[in-house]
Amino acid sequence: MKRIYTRSGDRGMTRVAGGGRVPKDDIRIEANGCLDELNAVVGVVRSLLPDSHDWQSLLREVQLRLMAVMSQVATPSSLRNGHPNRLEEGWVEDCEVTMDRLTAEMGESAHFLLPGGTPMAAHLHMARTVARRAERRLWTLHRQDPVPELVLRYLNRLSDLFFVLARHALWQADRQEERWQSFSYRRNL
């Protein structure tokens, strides 16, 4: 591509995988925009970490997986058969294994937490909230055109992973979590 601009979107339309054109506020474009934003937030988190930090490879892998997810989401379900960017079942389990390991190190939380504490924890909470928004947009798209189930499960686990990473970042920095309210109300329902 010689130049980044094409002028083809100047009238509010954009191209999707398969060649069709949709409005720029189409739910498929909105969902992918949220995934793109999430990938950028993960990039910010990585930029705050030393190159040698354990989480660099984890978060790089998350970014690569998000690119594959975005490619799948950009493609209407009728054209997804044989898609070159594969999704793998192990992605969800990878998140769960990492969360279980980190939680075992620092202990469980029984409280809602105020985001923040350190720049790293705050950015990880931002990643969590963007992941949740992307998940909501994916469910909206899913009602119109099926999204692979693995994508929906992976986004749900990613938001949980970012929560655990934020807690762990505070724990590593020897900072207290700012608690809002106990989860104990759930037992009363």
Side-chain angles (χ1 to χ4, degrees):
M1 179 184 274
K2 291 183 182 181
R3 60 181 189 218
I4 190 68
Y5 60 91
T6 63
R7 298 187 181 122
S8 63
D10 290 351
R11 298 198 184 261
M13 299 294 283
T14 192
R15 189 172 309 281
V16 293
R21 294 187 64 77
V22 297
K24 287 192 173 193
D25 61 353
D26 181 87
I27 188 57
R28 183 177 311 283
I29 305 307
E30 176 64 21
N32 249 358
C34 292
L35 292 166
D36 189 27
E37 183 180 354
L38 175 58
N39 208 342
V41 173
V42 174
V44 170
V45 170
R46 288 187 64 205
S47 76
L48 296 172
L49 292 169
D51 290 343
S52 61
H53 196 283
D54 292 350
W55 294 353
Q56 280 290 357
S57 60
L58 167 72
L59 295 174
R60 182 178 189 279
E61 191 62 33
V62 166
Q63 287 188 293
L64 293 171
R65 291 171 180 181
L66 283 171
M67 295 300 287
V69 166
M70 288 169 58
S71 175
Q72 289 273 342
V73 170
T75 307
S77 62
S78 62
L79 303 175
R80 231 178 264 137
N81 192 19
H83 197 284
N85 292 305
R86 295 283 173 209
L87 309 173
E88 297 181 26
E89 277 296 323
W91 294 0
V92 172
E93 185 180 346
D94 290 347
C95 291
E96 292 171 351
V97 167
T98 300
M99 287 185 286
D100 291 346
R101 179 177 53 81
L102 296 177
T103 300
E105 288 179 23
M106 66 183 165
E108 294 180 8
S109 175
H111 296 84
F112 287 102
L113 304 177
L114 297 180
T118 66
M120 177 60 64
H123 283 293
L124 286 162
H125 276 293
M126 181 62 72
R128 173 185 57 80
T129 64
V130 174
R132 287 282 190 223
R133 180 164 26 93
E135 183 185 11
R136 292 189 304 269
R137 298 288 58 87
L138 286 167
W139 276 104
T140 302
L141 173 60
H142 184 69
R143 284 192 292 278
Q144 292 180 13
D145 185 37
V147 172
E149 179 189 335
L150 179 58
V151 167
L152 299 168
R153 288 190 357 251
Y154 183 60
L155 260 289
N156 186 274
R157 280 326 170 282
L158 268 185
S159 61
D160 295 337
L161 175 64
F162 293 130
F163 177 77
V164 171
L165 290 174
R167 287 192 63 234
H168 200 272
L170 287 177
W171 180 78
Q172 284 182 318
D174 200 26
R175 298 283 302 268
Q176 290 292 315
E177 297 172 336
E178 289 188 80
R179 296 175 176 177
W180 176 63
Q181 176 174 311
S182 171
F183 292 149
S184 63
Y185 75 91
R186 288 183 182 173
R187 290 187 276 273
N188 298 329
L189 295 178

